[in-house]
């Protein structure tokens, strides 16, 4: 049995930005207050270098520790229940 290896048989990889165009317009159910900080860390991660990342992550996490979402997540984690997030 012969296998075709022509260029037309190979799928073209997705172009940059495909995911953002296909993603739903509403935010995912989860810790919505933490998402912007996580995205900012991911976007700027390479610029600061690996040694700086743990400190930058700690600074970003500090204000999130006082949110209602974080406090509720800790409670349900200790109670072995499924978390729910309000975005606060």
């Amino acid at each position: 049995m012969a296998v075709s290896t022509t260029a037309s048989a190979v799928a073209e990889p997705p172009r940059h930005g495909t995911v953002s165009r296909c993603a739903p317009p509403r935010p995912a159910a989860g810790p919505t207050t933490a998402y912007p900080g996580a995205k900012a860390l991911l976007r700027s991660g390479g610029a600061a270098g690996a040694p700086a990342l743990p400190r930058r992550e700690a600074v970003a996490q500090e204000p999130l520790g006082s949110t209602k979402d974080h406090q509720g997540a800790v409670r349900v984690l200790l109670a072995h229940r499924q978390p729910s997030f309000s975005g606060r």
Side-chain angles (χ1 to χ4, degrees), residues 2 24 31 35 41 55 58 60 64 69 73 76:
Y35 287 155
L41 284 171
R55 176 69 184 137
L64 297 173
D69 275 348
V76 299

Side-chain angles (χ1 to χ4, degrees), residues 3-80:
V3 176
S4 172
T5 57
T6 63
S8 63
V10 178
E12 184 176 331
R15 300 214 188 285
H16 178 72
T18 301
V19 172
S20 64
R21 287 194 311 264
C22 297
R26 62 177 178 74
T32 55
T33 305
Y35 287 155
K39 287 181 179 181
L41 284 171
L42 289 170
R43 279 193 302 271
S44 66
L53 289 177
R55 176 69 184 137
R56 292 180 61 225
E57 183 179 356
V59 169
Q61 288 291 330
E62 193 171 336
L64 297 173
S66 63
T67 64
K68 290 182 187 277
D69 275 348
H70 177 76
Q71 294 166 5
V74 170
R75 279 194 302 275
V76 299
L77 176 69
L78 296 174
H80 303 285

